[in-house]
C-alpha cells in the first residue's frame, strides 16, 4: 500500500522599505512533509525500500556508559571539532541532521566535504535526515532568539522525535537515541526534555575495543581571558580587531613563518612595500604559518632588520616557559636604513588556516607519560603537544596530527593524533607525507568521476571528424623527456611555395595541443575534480594525475602513430621568424613519431637524414633560435636553475645515482614554440573576452628584493643595473669571470630568488598595464599548451573554442567572481606542486646518501650570522653549514665571515663533506662540513680526496617555463637495474 504524503507550508511575512521609500511585502514559504523516512531498519512505520535502510536494526553499543542498542545524533560543534573521531570506523549508526549539515557547510567547507564523504560511505551507516522539512521536527525561530539557540533546539526536537518514533507501537524493536554535544547548556536543556545525552569526551573515553580512538579527541580550548600562568598576551576580540582596523591602528595581513628562524616571521600588508617583520614569541603571539592576523605596527624608531641567524627550536621539551630572545632582538639596532623593515606584533587572529600536519613523535622521557611533543615535517610549523597512550608504537612512525588550540599558558599549541602513515624512512610513507604536507589531492578518482570517462574501447566518431580540420597527412611529431606518457603537444613545420614581398621564404608552423576539453565537459564530476586538483604533480618516480590515466596517458596523449583530437595553432612565418598570419582550429592529427629531446637532437644533427621528420625539426630549430633572440633583444631574462636526474633501481624504486640534466637545442626549440602559442592565444582571447580571459602575469620584483643580491655581486666587482628587465638582462650577460665558468650561472640562480612568482588572473580584475610578464618581457601571456596536466589550460581552451565558434560559450567562463576564486586555487595548487616536487628531490637525496659520504664542490649562496647557506650544484642541494661563534667573526656590513684570516663571502667556491646524520632516527638530516678552504680546528680533515670544480650544467631559461610542463623541467627519472655484486 502506497502512503500519500500530507504536505503543508509555513509562511513568514516581512515588510521592508525600499530606497525610494516604498513598502515592500516579502512572503517566505517553507515546505513541510510527513513522509520523510527515518532510515532505520528497526522501523516498521516508515515505508522504506531496501536501499533506503541505512541504520542497523540492532546497532552495537561500543560505549560502556550505554549498555543498550542506540543511535547517535551529533550537534554541529561535535562535527566541526571532532571530525577526526567521526572519520574513524569505530563510530557507526549515526544520524546527521540537515540542521547540522547546513551549519557545517556555512562554517567550514573543508569539514563539510569530509562529512559528505563519510555519509556517502555505506559501510559507515551515517544517515542524513532532512529534519528541516519534516512537519514533526521543524521549529520556527522565536522572536529575539539567536540562530545558534534555534538550531540547538531543532537538534533536540529531532532527537526527541526519533526516540518517540522508534518506540511507537509497531515500530519494531525499541531503540534509544543518544545526543552527543559538548555544549553544557545544550546538555542541560536536553536532560530537562528527557533526551539521553553525553559529551564526546565521556563517550569516547568509555569506548571498548578501540584503544587508539581517544588519541583523536580534540582538546578543549581555554578562554583568552584566562591569565593563569600566561606566557603570551591575550588576543584581541573580533570586535576590537574590527574597530582597530577601521581606525587605522591595526592592519590585516597573512603571517608567513621563517624557515630558518623559528622566532621570526613576516606579514604582507597593503600600503607597505616591504613585509612587516615580526620577531620573538611575543611578536608572533601564537600565529601559525598561513594565519590571517591583526598586526600593530611599531613606531619607526623601533623598526628592525630581519635577523641573519639560523635558529632552530631545541631538541628537548623545554617546558612551558619562553627562553631569552636577546640574541635575536638585539640584532641590527644600528643597521643601515635600507636593511630596516617595518616591525610590529600580532595582536589577534582573524582567521586560522590550520590543517593536518605530518611529522614524528618525540616521546616524553618520563615512563608512562601520555603527553608528548610532535615535531612537524614543515619547519615553519611549531612543535605540538599531543596526548597518546601509543607512544611506544608511534615513535617509529610518520604520523598525522591536527591542531586544536593554543592557550596563552602553553609554549606550544595543543593537538591530537589522527593516524599513522607508515614507518619512518619507508618511501611510500615519506611520499605520503610530501603529498599531505603540500595539500596535494591524491585520493583515487571517485566513481562519479570515472563514470564521466568514455569506454576503454572508445574510437573516434565519424561525425566529430567532419567538424574538424583533418591534419593527419601532415608530418607532425612530439618531443618530450624520456618516459613521458602524458604528451600534451606536437609540432610541425613545412615550407610554403610562395615568398614574402621582400623575397623571404615562408613556412607553415603548427603547434598541436591535446584536445582535453572534448572529454572534460563543464560542470561534470570529472571537470570539478580536475578544477580542484588544478595540476598534475610530479615526484621522483611518481605522478599524481589531474585527470584519470585513460585520458592522461591514452586518449588525450598525442602518442606516435595514433589518431588524436587536437587544438591547433598554425602560423605563417617568414625565414626571419616574423609571424605573418595566425589561425586556430580544432583538428585531428596523427603524430609520425613521439621522440625524446635527445632523439630529436640526433635527427637534427645527422646530416645523412633527409626524411620529412628531420627536415621539419631542422626548420623548427632554426626558427626557434631566431624567436629566442628576438625575445632576448626585447628584454626577456635568462635565469638559471640546477636541474637533476635520478637513476632509479627498477626493482626497489630507490635512487642509485644522480646527475645534472643535459640541456639540448631541442629543449629550447620546444620552449620557443610553446611560448609563441601561449602569447598568440592570450592576445586572441583577451580581445574577445576583455573581462574574463584567464591570463598569466609576472610582476616586476620590488627594488628591495635585490638589496642583498646586488651587494654580493658588487663584492665580486659587478655593478648590476636592475632598473628594467632589459638592463638587468644586459648586466647579467656581462657579469662573467673567465676563470670561473660557473659564476655566471650562479649569479642567475641567485637572480631567480629575487623574482616574484608568476600568477594566474582574470583580465577583468586588473588594468592592462598590469598584464605584463616581466620574465618573458611580453605584454600579455597565458597557458594553452598543457591541458592534460594544467586546469588553467583547460579554461583557456574553452575560451578559445568559444572565440572561433568551435564550442558554446559556457556561463562559468563569463563569471568574474568564479574566475577570481578559480585563479586563487590555480595559483595555490601550482605553488604547492612545485614545493612537493622539491621535497621529493630532497627525500630521494636523503635515501641516496643513506650509506654514503661525498666530498663535493659547493658555492656560498648567502652568509648568515652563524652559518653559510651553500649550494652543491651536482645534486641541486642546499643547506646550512653552521659556523661556531667562538671561531668566526661576522662582519654585518659586508656580510662576510672571518676566521684566522680566511674570509668567506657570497659566491665563494668551497669544498664540503656531505653526509646523512642518522643518529636521531626520527629526524635525519644532511650535514655539511667545510673541507676547503682549510681552517685549522674547524675544517674536516679529508685524507685523500682532491676535489676540483667540475663543469656545471648550462644556463637554462626559466622565465615562465611552467608553460612547458613540470615534466619537462622537474626531476626526471631513469630506471636502471642494480648490478649484483659477486
Amino acid at each position: 500500500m502506497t502512503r500519500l504524503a500530507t504536505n503543508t507550508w509555513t509562511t513568514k511575512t516581512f515588510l521592508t522599505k525600499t530606497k525610494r521609500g516604498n513598502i515592500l511585502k516579502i512572503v517566505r514559504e517553507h515546505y513541510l512533509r510527513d513522509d520523510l523516512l527515518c532510515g532505520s531498519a528497526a522501523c516498521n512505520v516508515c515505508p522504506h525500500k531496501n536501499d533506503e535502510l541505512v541504520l542497523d536494526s540492532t546497532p552495537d553499543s561500543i560505549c560502556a556508559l550505554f549498555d543498550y542498542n542506540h543511535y547517535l545524533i551529533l550537534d554541529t560543534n561535535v562535527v566541526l571539532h571532532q571530525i577526526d573521531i567521526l572519520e574513524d570506523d569505530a563510530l557507526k549508526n549515526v544520524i546527521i541532521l540537515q540542521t547540522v549539515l547546513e551549519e557545517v557547510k556555512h562554517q567550514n567547507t573543508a569539514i563539510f566535504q569530509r562529512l559528505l564523504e563519510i555519509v556517502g560511505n555505506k559501510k559507515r551507516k551515517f544517515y542524513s535526515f532532512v529534519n528541516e522539512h519534516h512537519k514533526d521536527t521543524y521549529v520556527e525561530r522565536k522572536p529575539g532568539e539567536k540562530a545558534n539557540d534555534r538550531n540547538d533546539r531543532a537538534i533536540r526536537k529531532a532527537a526527541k522525535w526519533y526516540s518517540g518514533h522508534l518506540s511507537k507501537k509497531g515500530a519494531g524493536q525499541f531503540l534509544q537515541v543518544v545526543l552527543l554535544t559538548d555544549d553544557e547548556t545544550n546538555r542541560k536543556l536536553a536532560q530537562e526534555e528527557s533526551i539521553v545525552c553525553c559529551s564526546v569526551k565521556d563517550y569516547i573515553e568509555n569506548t571498548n575495543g578501540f584503544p587508539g580512538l581517544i588519541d583523536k579527541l580534540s582538546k578543549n580550548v581555554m578562554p583568552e581571558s584566562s591569565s593563569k600562568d600566561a606566557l603570551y598576551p591575550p588576543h584581541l576580540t573580533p570586535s576590537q580587531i574590527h574597530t582597530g582596523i577601521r581606525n587605522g591602528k591595526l592592519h590585516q595581513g597573512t603571517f608567513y613563518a621563517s624557515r630558518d628562524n623559528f622566532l621570526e616571521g613576516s606579514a604582507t600588508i597593503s600600503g607597505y612595500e616591504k613585509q612587516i617583520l615580526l620577531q620573538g614569541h611575543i611578536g608572533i603571539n601564537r600565529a601559525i604559518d598561513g594565519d590571517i592576523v591583526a598586526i600593530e605596527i611599531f613606531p619607526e624608531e623601533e623598526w628592525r632588520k630581519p635577523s641573519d641567524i639560523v635558529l632552530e627550536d631545541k631538541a628537548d621539551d623545554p617546558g612551558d616557559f619562553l627562553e631569552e630572545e636577546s640574541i635575536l632582538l638585539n640584532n641590527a639596532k644600528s643597521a643601515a636604513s635600507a636593511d630596516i623593515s617595518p616591525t610590529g606584533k600580532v595582536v589577534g587572529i582573524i582567521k586560522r588556516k590550520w590543517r593536518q600536519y605530518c611529522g614524528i613523535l618525540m616521546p616524553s622521557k618520563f615512563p608512562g607519560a601520555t603527553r608528548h611533543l610532535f615535531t612537524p615535517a614543515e619547519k615553519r610549523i611549531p612543535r605540538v603537544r599531543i596526548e597518546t597512550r601509543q607512544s611506544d608504537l608511534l615513535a617509529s612512525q610518520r604520523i598525522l596530527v591536527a591542531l586544536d588550540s593554543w592557550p596563552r599558558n602553553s609554549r606550544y599549541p595543543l593537538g591530537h593524533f589522527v593516524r599513522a602513515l607508515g614507518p619512518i624512512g619507508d618511501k611510500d610513507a615519506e611520499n605520503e607525507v610530501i603529498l599531505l604536507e603540500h595539500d596535494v589531492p591524491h585520493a583515487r578518482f571517485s566513481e562519479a568521476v570515472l563514470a564521466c570517462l568514455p569506454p576503454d574501447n572508445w574510437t573516434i566518431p565519424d561525425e566529430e571528424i567532419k567538424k574538424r580540420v583533418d591534419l593527419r597527412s601532415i608530418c607532425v611529431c612530439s618531443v618530450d623527456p624520456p618516459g613521458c606518457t602524458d604528451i600534451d603537444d606536437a609540432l610541425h613545420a613545412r615550407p610554403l611555395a610562395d615568398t614574402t614581398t621582400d623575397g623571404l621564404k615562408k613556412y607553415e608552423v603548427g603547434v598541436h595541443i591535446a584536445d582535453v576539453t572534448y572529454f572534460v565537459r563543464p560542470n561534470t564530476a570529472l571537470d570539478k575534480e580536475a578544477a580542484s586538483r588544478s595540476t598534475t604533480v610530479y615526484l621522483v618516480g611518481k605522478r599524481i594525475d589531474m585527470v584519470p590515466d585513460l585520458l592522461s596517458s591514452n586518449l588525450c596523449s598525442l602518442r606516435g602513430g595514433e589518431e588524436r583530437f587536437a587544438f591547433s595553432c598554425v602560423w605563417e612565418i617568414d625565414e626571419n621568424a616574423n609571424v605573418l598570419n595566425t589561425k586556430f582550429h580544432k583538428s585531428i592529427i596523427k603524430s609520425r613519431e613521439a621522440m625524446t629531446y635527445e632523439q630529436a637532437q640526433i635527427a637534427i644533427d645527422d646530416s645523412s637524414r633527409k626524411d620529412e621528420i628531420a627536415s621539419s625539426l631542422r626548420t623548427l630549430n632554426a626558427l626557434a633560435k631566431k624567436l629566442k633572440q628576438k625575445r632576448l633583444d626585447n628584454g626577456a631574462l635568462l635565469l638559471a636553475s640546477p636541474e637533476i636526474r635520478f637513476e632509479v633501481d627498477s626493482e626497489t624504486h630507490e635512487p642509485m645515482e644522480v646527475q645534472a640534466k643535459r640541456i639540448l637545442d631541442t629543449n629550447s626549440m620546444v620552449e620557443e614554440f610553446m611560448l609563441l602559442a601561449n602569447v598568440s592565444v592570450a592576445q586572441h582571447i583577451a580581445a574577445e573576452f576583455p573581462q574574463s580571459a584567464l591570463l598569466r602575469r609576472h610582476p616586476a620584483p620590488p627594488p628591495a628584493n635585490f638589496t642583498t643580491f646586488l651587494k654580493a655581486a658588487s663584492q665580486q666587482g659587478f655593478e648590476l643595473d636592475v632598473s628594467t628587465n632589459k638592463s638587468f638582462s644586459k648586466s647579467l650577460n656581462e657579469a662573467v669571470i673567465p676563470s670561473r665558468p660557473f659564476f655566471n650561472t650562479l649569479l642567475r640562480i641567485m637572480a631567480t630568488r629575487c623574482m616574484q612568482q608568476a600568477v594566474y588572473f582574470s583580465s577583468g580584475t586588473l588594468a592592462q598595464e598590469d598584464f605584463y610578464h616581466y620574465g618573458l618581457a611580453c605584454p600579455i601571456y597565458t597557458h594553452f599548451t598543457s591541458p592534460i596536466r594544467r586546469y588553467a589550460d583547460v579554461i583557456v581552451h574553452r575560451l578559445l573554442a568559444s572565440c572561433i565558434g568551435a564550442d558554446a560559450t559556457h556561463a562559468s567562463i563569463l563569471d568574474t567572481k568564479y574566475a577570481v576564486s578559480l585563479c586563487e586555487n590555480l595559483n595555490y595548487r601550482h605553488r604547492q606542486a612545485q614545493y612537493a616536487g622539491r621535497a621529493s628531490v630532497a627525500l630521494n637525496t636523503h635515501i641516496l646518501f643513506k650509506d654514503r659520504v661525498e666530498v663535493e664542490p659547493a658555492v656560498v649562496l648567502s652568509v648568515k650570522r652563524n652559518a653559510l647557506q651553500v649550494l652543491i650544484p651536482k645534486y641541486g642541494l642546499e643547506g646550512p653549514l653552521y659556523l661556531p661563534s667562538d671561531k668566526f667573526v661576522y662582519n654585518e656590513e659586508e656580510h662576510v665571515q672571518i676566521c684566522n684570516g680566511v674570509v668567506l663571502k657570497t659566491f665563494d667556491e668551497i669544498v664540503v663533506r656531505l653526509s646523512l646524520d642518522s643518529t636521531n632516527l626520527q629526524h635525519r638530516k644532511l650535514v655539511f662540513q667545510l673541507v676547503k678552504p682549510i681552517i685549522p680546528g674547524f675544517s674536516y680533515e679529508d685524507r685523500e680526496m682532491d676535489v676540483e670544480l667540475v663543469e656545471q650544467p648550462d644556463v637554462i631559461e626559466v622565465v615562465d617555463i611552467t608553460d612547458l610542463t613540470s615534466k619537462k623541467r622537474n626531476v626526471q627519472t631513469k630506471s636502471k637495474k642494480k648490478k649484483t655484486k659477486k
Side-chain angles (χ1 to χ4, degrees), residues 155-426:
I155 292 168
R156 295 196 302 273
K157 179 76 175 282
K160 185 82 171 175
W161 178 83
Y162 257 101
S163 294
H165 178 75
L166 294 175
S167 63
K168 282 181 181 178
K169 185 177 180 181
Q173 183 178 350
F174 176 69
L175 281 173
Q176 288 274 19
V177 172
V178 176
L179 172 62
L180 290 189
T181 174
D182 287 330
D183 185 329
E184 196 171 336
T185 303
N186 198 23
R187 282 204 305 273
K188 185 177 179 182
L189 291 171
Q191 289 165 352
E192 291 174 359
E193 298 172 21
S194 302
I195 299 170
V196 180
C197 59
C198 181
S199 72
V200 178
K201 184 174 183 291
D202 289 343
Y203 193 92
I204 298 302
E205 285 182 345
N206 288 279
T207 54
N208 300 315
F210 299 94
L213 194 59
I214 193 171
D215 292 348
K216 299 184 180 184
L217 267 176
S218 178
K219 306 300 179 290
N220 293 327
V221 181
M222 181 179 289
E224 274 293 303
S225 57
S226 173
S227 59
K228 183 181 179 182
D229 300 323
L231 301 175
Y232 298 94
H235 288 148
L236 299 182
T237 64
S239 61
Q240 289 172 322
I241 292 173
H242 181 73
T243 302
I245 291 175
R246 192 170 53 191
N247 62 29
K249 292 182 179 179
L250 302 179
H251 303 267
Q252 176 177 318
T254 301
F255 174 71
Y256 300 103
S258 168
R259 284 180 180 271
D260 297 326
N261 188 334
F262 79 101
L263 286 176
E264 189 167 280
S266 60
T268 304
I269 289 178
S270 60
Y272 286 83
E273 182 182 322
K274 287 187 175 183
Q275 290 191 322
I276 308 303
L277 180 64
L278 305 165
Q279 290 184 318
H281 290 290
I282 305 304
I284 295 172
N285 195 9
R286 295 170 288 157
I288 290 177
D289 188 68
D291 286 348
I292 300 173
V293 296
I295 294 170
E296 177 187 323
I297 297 178
F298 297 151
E300 199 163 335
E301 58 269 19
E302 296 181 33
W303 290 4
R304 298 177 179 274
K305 171 192 170 186
S307 69
D308 44 16
I309 60 175
V310 178
L311 201 59
E312 295 181 0
D313 207 349
K314 294 177 181 177
D316 296 326
D317 187 348
D320 285 324
F321 73 91
L322 307 181
E323 68 269 48
E324 176 62 42
E325 300 172 358
S326 58
I327 296 177
L328 172 77
L329 299 180
N330 288 339
N331 177 41
K333 283 272 187 177
S334 59
S337 58
D339 296 330
I340 292 292
S341 291
T343 308
K345 64 179 180 180
V346 173
V347 296
I349 306 295
I350 296 172
K351 186 178 181 181
R352 289 290 193 189
K353 300 288 278 189
W354 292 353
R355 56 177 175 82
Q356 294 177 340
Y357 300 97
C358 304
I360 53 178
L361 192 70
M362 296 176 59
S364 170
K365 293 181 178 179
F366 300 102
T370 58
R371 295 186 71 197
H372 309 277
L373 268 186
F374 164 80
T375 302
E378 173 54 72
K379 287 184 177 181
R380 293 174 297 185
I381 305 301
R383 293 189 286 185
V384 184
R385 292 198 193 282
I386 68 169
E387 292 185 20
T388 178
R389 292 161 178 78
Q390 308 175 75
S391 59
D392 291 344
L393 176 66
L394 299 179
S396 61
Q397 299 278 310
R398 287 284 184 185
I399 64 174
L400 197 62
V401 162
L403 298 186
D404 299 326
S405 64
W406 195 340
R408 291 176 60 197
N409 64 348
S410 175
R411 176 191 167 95
Y412 297 117
L414 308 182
H416 63 269
F417 167 75
V418 176
R419 63 185 173 95
L421 302 172
I424 294 171
D426 176 75

Side-chain angles (χ1 to χ4, degrees), residues 615-651:
S615 298
S616 177
L617 289 171
R618 290 187 188 112
T619 301
L620 289 167
N621 195 41
L623 291 171
K625 289 179 178 180
K626 294 175 181 177
L627 286 170
K628 183 173 183 176
Q629 191 57 52
K630 284 175 182 284
R631 289 194 310 101
L632 295 179
D633 293 343
N634 201 34
L637 291 174
L638 275 178
L639 303 178
S641 171
E643 297 201 8
I644 58 176
R645 176 176 176 172
F646 284 97
E647 288 186 0
V648 178
D649 184 89
S650 59
E651 296 174 355

Side-chain angles (χ1 to χ4, degrees), residues 35 85 117 129 237 470 475 517 536 579 603 641 646 731 975:
D35 65 335
I85 290 282
E117 287 182 18
F129 178 62
T237 64
D470 192 340
C475 179
T517 55
T536 293
V579 176
S641 171
F646 284 97
S731 294
S975 293

Side-chain angles (χ1 to χ4, degrees), residues 374-666:
F374 164 80
T375 302
E378 173 54 72
K379 287 184 177 181
R380 293 174 297 185
I381 305 301
R383 293 189 286 185
V384 184
R385 292 198 193 282
I386 68 169
E387 292 185 20
T388 178
R389 292 161 178 78
Q390 308 175 75
S391 59
D392 291 344
L393 176 66
L394 299 179
S396 61
Q397 299 278 310
R398 287 284 184 185
I399 64 174
L400 197 62
V401 162
L403 298 186
D404 299 326
S405 64
W406 195 340
R408 291 176 60 197
N409 64 348
S410 175
R411 176 191 167 95
Y412 297 117
L414 308 182
H416 63 269
F417 167 75
V418 176
R419 63 185 173 95
L421 302 172
I424 294 171
D426 176 75
K427 192 170 182 183
D428 289 338
E430 300 296 346
N431 274 333
E432 179 79 358
V433 168
I434 289 172
L435 296 173
L436 289 169
E437 271 303 296
H438 296 93
D439 194 20
V440 175
H442 58 288
R444 290 183 179 180
F445 289 103
S446 68
E447 292 299 322
V449 169
L450 297 177
C452 298
L453 298 176
D456 291 345
N457 60 351
W458 179 85
T459 55
I460 293 175
D462 291 336
E463 60 272 16
E464 183 62 28
I465 296 176
K466 295 173 185 177
K467 300 176 186 176
R468 295 172 176 262
V469 177
D470 192 340
L471 303 178
R472 287 176 288 186
S473 62
I474 292 179
C475 179
V476 171
C477 64
S478 62
V479 183
D480 290 280
C484 176
T485 61
D486 51 346
I487 303 172
D488 290 284
D489 53 86
L491 305 101
H492 88 269
R494 58 180 180 175
L496 297 176
D498 58 334
T499 60
T500 66
T501 54
D502 299 332
L504 299 175
K505 294 178 183 177
K506 290 169 65 175
Y507 298 93
E508 179 187 87
V509 177
V511 165
H512 312 280
I513 307 300
D515 189 5
V516 177
T517 55
Y518 175 81
F519 299 99
V520 182
R521 302 306 297 165
N523 298 320
T524 59
L526 174 58
D527 181 50
K528 291 173 182 176
E529 181 66 22
S532 173
R533 296 188 178 214
S534 291
T535 181
T536 293
V537 179
Y538 296 87
L539 306 183
V540 176
K542 186 180 179 70
R543 189 179 82 199
I544 295 86
D545 285 321
M546 183 182 79
V547 295
D549 188 67
L550 178 63
L551 298 183
S552 64
S553 294
N554 187 352
L555 299 182
C556 290
S557 183
L558 306 182
R559 305 197 297 200
E562 298 189 26
E563 295 180 356
R564 290 290 182 263
F565 287 154
F567 207 152
S568 298
C569 175
V570 181
W571 305 276
E572 279 187 18
I573 300 180
D574 69 24
E575 61 183 270
N576 289 335
N578 297 306
V579 176
L580 308 174
N581 184 36
T582 306
K583 57 186 177 183
F584 306 98
H585 45 246
K586 291 288 185 92
S587 60
I588 180 170
I589 67 169
K590 185 175 182 180
S591 174
R592 296 285 177 88
E593 190 173 351
M595 310 176 79
T596 66
Y597 289 120
E598 192 167 1
Q599 287 170 340
Q601 190 67 55
I602 291 170
I604 291 171
D605 296 340
D606 185 354
S607 58
S608 66
R609 283 192 60 169
K610 307 294 183 184
D611 57 275
E612 202 173 2
I613 290 178
S615 298
S616 177
L617 289 171
R618 290 187 188 112
T619 301
L620 289 167
N621 195 41
L623 291 171
K625 289 179 178 180
K626 294 175 181 177
L627 286 170
K628 183 173 183 176
Q629 191 57 52
K630 284 175 182 284
R631 289 194 310 101
L632 295 179
D633 293 343
N634 201 34
L637 291 174
L638 275 178
L639 303 178
S641 171
E643 297 201 8
I644 58 176
R645 176 176 176 172
F646 284 97
E647 288 186 0
V648 178
D649 184 89
S650 59
E651 296 174 355
T652 66
H653 302 294
E654 292 201 348
M656 296 167 54
E657 193 49 78
V658 65
Q659 59 189 21
K661 178 184 166 187
R662 287 182 63 205
I663 305 299
L664 305 170
D665 280 353
T666 44

